Short mmCIF file of all heavy atoms in Angstrom, two decimals:
data_model
loop_
_atom_site.label_atom_id
_atom_site.label_comp_id
_atom_site.label_asym_id
_atom_site.label_seq_id
_atom_site.Cartn_x
_atom_site.Cartn_y
_atom_site.Cartn_z
N VAL A 62 16.88 -16.16 -4.02
CA VAL A 62 15.54 -16.31 -4.58
C VAL A 62 15.71 -17.09 -5.89
O VAL A 62 16.42 -16.65 -6.79
CB VAL A 62 14.86 -14.95 -4.83
CG1 VAL A 62 13.59 -15.11 -5.65
CG2 VAL A 62 14.53 -14.27 -3.50
N VAL A 64 14.66 -18.12 -9.31
CA VAL A 64 13.77 -17.53 -10.32
C VAL A 64 13.22 -18.66 -11.19
O VAL A 64 13.96 -19.33 -11.91
CB VAL A 64 14.52 -16.48 -11.16
CG1 VAL A 64 13.62 -15.94 -12.26
CG2 VAL A 64 15.00 -15.34 -10.26
N LYS A 66 10.66 -18.42 -13.49
CA LYS A 66 9.80 -17.95 -14.58
C LYS A 66 9.78 -18.88 -15.79
O LYS A 66 8.78 -18.96 -16.47
CB LYS A 66 10.18 -16.53 -14.99
CG LYS A 66 11.59 -16.38 -15.52
CD LYS A 66 11.95 -14.92 -15.74
CE LYS A 66 13.40 -14.83 -16.19
NZ LYS A 66 13.93 -13.47 -16.14
N TYR A 67 10.88 -19.55 -16.09
CA TYR A 67 10.89 -20.48 -17.22
C TYR A 67 10.93 -21.95 -16.77
O TYR A 67 11.17 -22.84 -17.58
CB TYR A 67 12.11 -20.24 -18.12
CG TYR A 67 12.18 -18.83 -18.68
CD1 TYR A 67 13.39 -18.15 -18.73
CD2 TYR A 67 11.03 -18.20 -19.17
CE1 TYR A 67 13.46 -16.86 -19.25
CE2 TYR A 67 11.09 -16.90 -19.67
CZ TYR A 67 12.30 -16.24 -19.71
OH TYR A 67 12.37 -14.97 -20.21
N GLU A 86 9.02 -14.96 -9.50
CA GLU A 86 8.34 -15.01 -10.80
C GLU A 86 8.29 -13.60 -11.37
O GLU A 86 8.19 -12.62 -10.62
CB GLU A 86 6.90 -15.54 -10.63
CG GLU A 86 6.82 -17.03 -10.29
CD GLU A 86 7.06 -17.93 -11.51
OE1 GLU A 86 7.00 -17.43 -12.66
OE2 GLU A 86 7.30 -19.13 -11.30
N SER A 87 8.32 -13.52 -12.71
CA SER A 87 8.28 -12.19 -13.30
C SER A 87 6.92 -11.87 -13.90
O SER A 87 6.68 -10.73 -14.28
CB SER A 87 9.37 -12.03 -14.35
OG SER A 87 9.21 -12.99 -15.35
N ILE A 112 9.31 -10.27 -9.24
CA ILE A 112 10.55 -9.61 -9.66
C ILE A 112 10.43 -8.90 -11.01
O ILE A 112 11.36 -8.22 -11.43
CB ILE A 112 11.72 -10.63 -9.73
CG1 ILE A 112 11.44 -11.71 -10.76
CG2 ILE A 112 11.98 -11.24 -8.35
CD1 ILE A 112 12.66 -12.56 -11.09
N GLY A 113 9.30 -9.09 -11.71
CA GLY A 113 9.18 -8.49 -13.04
C GLY A 113 8.28 -7.27 -13.04
O GLY A 113 7.66 -6.93 -12.02
N HIS A 114 8.20 -6.62 -14.18
CA HIS A 114 7.38 -5.41 -14.29
C HIS A 114 5.93 -5.73 -13.91
O HIS A 114 5.35 -6.71 -14.37
CB HIS A 114 7.44 -4.87 -15.73
CG HIS A 114 6.60 -3.65 -15.91
ND1 HIS A 114 6.88 -2.47 -15.26
CD2 HIS A 114 5.48 -3.44 -16.63
CE1 HIS A 114 5.97 -1.58 -15.59
NE2 HIS A 114 5.11 -2.14 -16.42
N HIS A 131 9.78 -6.89 -5.63
CA HIS A 131 11.10 -6.30 -5.86
C HIS A 131 11.06 -5.16 -6.87
O HIS A 131 12.03 -4.43 -6.99
CB HIS A 131 12.05 -7.36 -6.45
CG HIS A 131 12.40 -8.49 -5.55
ND1 HIS A 131 13.69 -8.94 -5.41
CD2 HIS A 131 11.65 -9.27 -4.74
CE1 HIS A 131 13.72 -9.97 -4.57
NE2 HIS A 131 12.49 -10.19 -4.15
N SER A 132 9.99 -5.12 -7.66
CA SER A 132 10.03 -4.36 -8.91
C SER A 132 9.10 -3.16 -8.92
O SER A 132 8.42 -2.93 -9.90
CB SER A 132 9.68 -5.32 -10.05
OG SER A 132 8.56 -6.14 -9.68
N GLU A 158 12.80 -0.57 -7.63
CA GLU A 158 13.73 -0.98 -8.68
C GLU A 158 14.38 0.26 -9.27
O GLU A 158 13.70 1.23 -9.62
CB GLU A 158 12.98 -1.75 -9.77
CG GLU A 158 13.90 -2.17 -10.91
CD GLU A 158 13.22 -3.08 -11.93
OE1 GLU A 158 12.03 -3.44 -11.75
OE2 GLU A 158 13.89 -3.43 -12.92
N MET A 194 16.36 -2.63 -5.54
CA MET A 194 16.67 -3.73 -6.45
C MET A 194 17.23 -3.17 -7.75
O MET A 194 16.85 -2.06 -8.16
CB MET A 194 15.37 -4.49 -6.74
CG MET A 194 15.50 -5.67 -7.67
SD MET A 194 15.32 -5.29 -9.43
CE MET A 194 14.09 -6.49 -9.89
N THR A 195 18.16 -3.88 -8.37
CA THR A 195 18.59 -3.48 -9.71
C THR A 195 18.98 -4.69 -10.54
O THR A 195 19.20 -5.78 -10.01
CB THR A 195 19.77 -2.48 -9.67
OG1 THR A 195 19.85 -1.81 -10.94
CG2 THR A 195 21.11 -3.16 -9.41
N MET A 196 19.03 -4.47 -11.84
CA MET A 196 19.60 -5.43 -12.78
C MET A 196 20.78 -4.74 -13.45
O MET A 196 20.62 -3.65 -13.99
CB MET A 196 18.59 -5.82 -13.86
CG MET A 196 17.49 -6.72 -13.34
SD MET A 196 16.19 -6.95 -14.57
CE MET A 196 16.90 -8.25 -15.57
N ARG A 199 23.98 -6.58 -19.22
CA ARG A 199 24.63 -7.84 -19.61
C ARG A 199 26.06 -7.52 -20.02
O ARG A 199 26.28 -6.70 -20.90
CB ARG A 199 23.92 -8.45 -20.83
CG ARG A 199 22.59 -9.02 -20.48
CD ARG A 199 21.97 -9.76 -21.67
NE ARG A 199 20.72 -10.36 -21.26
CZ ARG A 199 20.63 -11.51 -20.59
NH1 ARG A 199 21.74 -12.20 -20.32
NH2 ARG A 199 19.48 -11.99 -20.22
N SER A 234 18.58 -6.18 -3.45
CA SER A 234 18.31 -7.32 -4.32
C SER A 234 19.08 -7.10 -5.62
O SER A 234 18.68 -6.28 -6.45
CB SER A 234 16.80 -7.43 -4.58
OG SER A 234 16.52 -8.35 -5.61
N GLY A 236 22.13 -9.13 -8.45
CA GLY A 236 22.92 -10.30 -8.80
C GLY A 236 22.04 -11.39 -9.38
O GLY A 236 20.99 -11.71 -8.81
N MET A 237 22.45 -11.93 -10.55
CA MET A 237 21.74 -13.00 -11.24
C MET A 237 22.76 -14.09 -11.56
O MET A 237 23.88 -14.06 -11.06
CB MET A 237 21.07 -12.46 -12.50
CG MET A 237 20.44 -11.08 -12.28
SD MET A 237 19.15 -10.58 -13.45
CE MET A 237 19.86 -10.95 -15.01
N SER A 238 22.38 -15.05 -12.40
CA SER A 238 23.28 -16.19 -12.65
C SER A 238 24.70 -15.76 -13.01
O SER A 238 25.66 -16.34 -12.52
CB SER A 238 22.73 -17.06 -13.80
OG SER A 238 21.58 -17.72 -13.37
N GLY A 239 24.82 -14.74 -13.85
CA GLY A 239 26.14 -14.40 -14.38
C GLY A 239 26.97 -13.50 -13.48
O GLY A 239 28.19 -13.36 -13.71
N VAL A 252 20.01 -12.49 -3.88
CA VAL A 252 20.36 -12.68 -5.29
C VAL A 252 19.21 -13.44 -5.95
O VAL A 252 18.54 -14.24 -5.31
CB VAL A 252 21.71 -13.43 -5.47
CG1 VAL A 252 22.86 -12.59 -4.94
CG2 VAL A 252 21.70 -14.80 -4.81
N ARG A 253 18.99 -13.15 -7.23
CA ARG A 253 17.88 -13.75 -7.97
C ARG A 253 18.47 -14.60 -9.09
O ARG A 253 19.03 -14.07 -10.04
CB ARG A 253 16.98 -12.65 -8.56
CG ARG A 253 16.56 -11.59 -7.56
CD ARG A 253 15.77 -10.47 -8.25
NE ARG A 253 16.46 -9.95 -9.42
CZ ARG A 253 17.29 -8.91 -9.42
NH1 ARG A 253 17.52 -8.23 -8.31
NH2 ARG A 253 17.88 -8.52 -10.53
N ILE A 254 18.37 -15.92 -8.94
CA ILE A 254 19.07 -16.80 -9.87
C ILE A 254 18.10 -17.77 -10.54
O ILE A 254 17.33 -18.45 -9.87
CB ILE A 254 20.19 -17.55 -9.14
CG1 ILE A 254 21.20 -16.52 -8.61
CG2 ILE A 254 20.86 -18.58 -10.05
CD1 ILE A 254 22.40 -17.11 -7.93
N GLY A 255 18.14 -17.78 -11.88
CA GLY A 255 17.27 -18.66 -12.64
C GLY A 255 18.05 -19.67 -13.45
O GLY A 255 18.21 -20.83 -13.05
N SER A 256 18.60 -19.22 -14.58
CA SER A 256 19.14 -20.16 -15.56
C SER A 256 20.17 -21.13 -15.00
O SER A 256 20.14 -22.32 -15.33
CB SER A 256 19.70 -19.40 -16.76
OG SER A 256 20.52 -18.36 -16.34
N SER A 257 21.07 -20.70 -14.12
CA SER A 257 22.10 -21.65 -13.69
C SER A 257 21.56 -22.69 -12.71
O SER A 257 22.18 -23.74 -12.51
CB SER A 257 23.34 -20.94 -13.15
OG SER A 257 23.03 -20.21 -12.03
N LEU A 258 20.39 -22.44 -12.13
CA LEU A 258 19.76 -23.46 -11.27
C LEU A 258 19.25 -24.64 -12.09
O LEU A 258 19.14 -25.76 -11.60
CB LEU A 258 18.55 -22.87 -10.57
CG LEU A 258 18.68 -22.37 -9.16
CD1 LEU A 258 17.36 -21.76 -8.71
CD2 LEU A 258 19.10 -23.48 -8.23
C1 PLP B 14 15.05 -13.71 -15.15
C2 PLP B 14 15.43 -12.78 -14.09
C3 PLP B 14 16.46 -13.12 -13.19
C4 PLP B 14 17.27 -14.39 -13.29
O1 PLP B 14 18.16 -14.32 -14.35
P1 PLP B 14 19.17 -15.54 -14.67
O2 PLP B 14 20.19 -14.91 -15.52
O3 PLP B 14 18.34 -16.56 -15.36
O4 PLP B 14 19.71 -16.02 -13.39
C5 PLP B 14 16.74 -12.22 -12.17
N1 PLP B 14 16.06 -11.06 -12.04
C6 PLP B 14 15.07 -10.71 -12.87
C7 PLP B 14 14.36 -9.42 -12.66
C8 PLP B 14 14.72 -11.55 -13.93
O5 PLP B 14 13.75 -11.19 -14.77
#
Side-chain angles (χ1 to χ4, degrees):
V62 169
V64 176
K66 62 187 176 193
Y67 302 138
E86 289 283 345
S87 59
I112 62 168
H114 179 64
H131 293 226
S132 44
E158 179 173 358
M194 180 271 232
T195 199
M196 287 171 83
R199 288 187 177 279
S234 168
M237 319 201 312
S238 290
V252 295
R253 310 175 309 268
I254 298 183
S256 48
S257 62
L258 262 177

